[in-house]
Amino acid sequence: MSVNMESFRRISKSKKTIAIICLIILAIAAYFLNQKYIVGKSEKGILFVKRAYAGMPLVLEYRHSVQRTMIYENLEIDGNVSGLVLKSTKYQSYGAGLPFLQTDGHFRKEKDWFVLDSINRKYPVLSIRNGVTNEEKVHVGNSVYNLKDEMPIGTKVDICVVPLYKVCFL
């Protein structure tokens, strides 16, 4: 039985082309699936999924349960795009203030606000709960999520930075 060598080369060449195309598609898919996203998830489902980048801001805005004044906790995504870093807090007080340690950062007063910055506290996962009176909002990049409108009171939300392929498994 004779084999037509020209026909064999053509088949072999087309298989190589298909294999190269498949490898290119797999490489592109792997690249996109490894891109990092900031995710807010509760037992009720996913609150937000946003493309993450180093230095991306995340602000927790809420009312203090005792002082009844607003507090802003300023976080950002770390340089490795693997978690969050608490950079500063800003709050108002009726004189009692909020506790802090000298090692927590630099404390100062700006008009009617107290500011504690240079905190640099790392959070691989940040867990929060919305309360009855705290009017909590989460600012992620340019988006704002009002927790009382998004989920039942007392619901825990875990905020983390993960590759896209892990989002489905949270």
Side-chain angles (χ1 to χ4, degrees), residues 13-95:
K13 189 175 182 179
S14 65
K15 284 183 180 178
K16 287 178 188 175
T17 303
I18 290 171
I20 289 171
I21 290 170
C22 288
L23 286 174
I24 290 170
I25 290 170
L26 282 173
I28 291 169
Y31 171 79
F32 283 108
L33 289 173
N34 278 305
Q35 296 299 299
K36 301 288 183 84
Y37 286 78
I38 184 165
V39 180
K41 184 183 182 314
S42 74
E43 60 266 15
K44 304 292 181 189
I46 291 179
L47 177 63
F48 58 83
V49 176
K50 295 265 186 195
R51 179 81 165 81
Y53 56 88
M56 180 181 191
L58 180 131
V59 178
L60 302 179
E61 174 187 349
Y62 59 95
R63 185 170 300 284
H64 190 274
S65 61
V66 176
Q67 294 280 328
R68 304 299 304 139
T69 58
M70 295 308 292
I71 297 175
Y72 299 89
E73 295 185 350
N74 302 297
L75 300 102
E76 65 181 37
I77 295 179
D78 66 20
N80 296 325
V81 193
S82 61
L84 295 163
V85 179
L86 176 62
K87 302 303 275 181
S88 68
T89 61
K90 180 178 176 180
Y91 62 92
Q92 292 179 312
S93 174
Y94 296 120

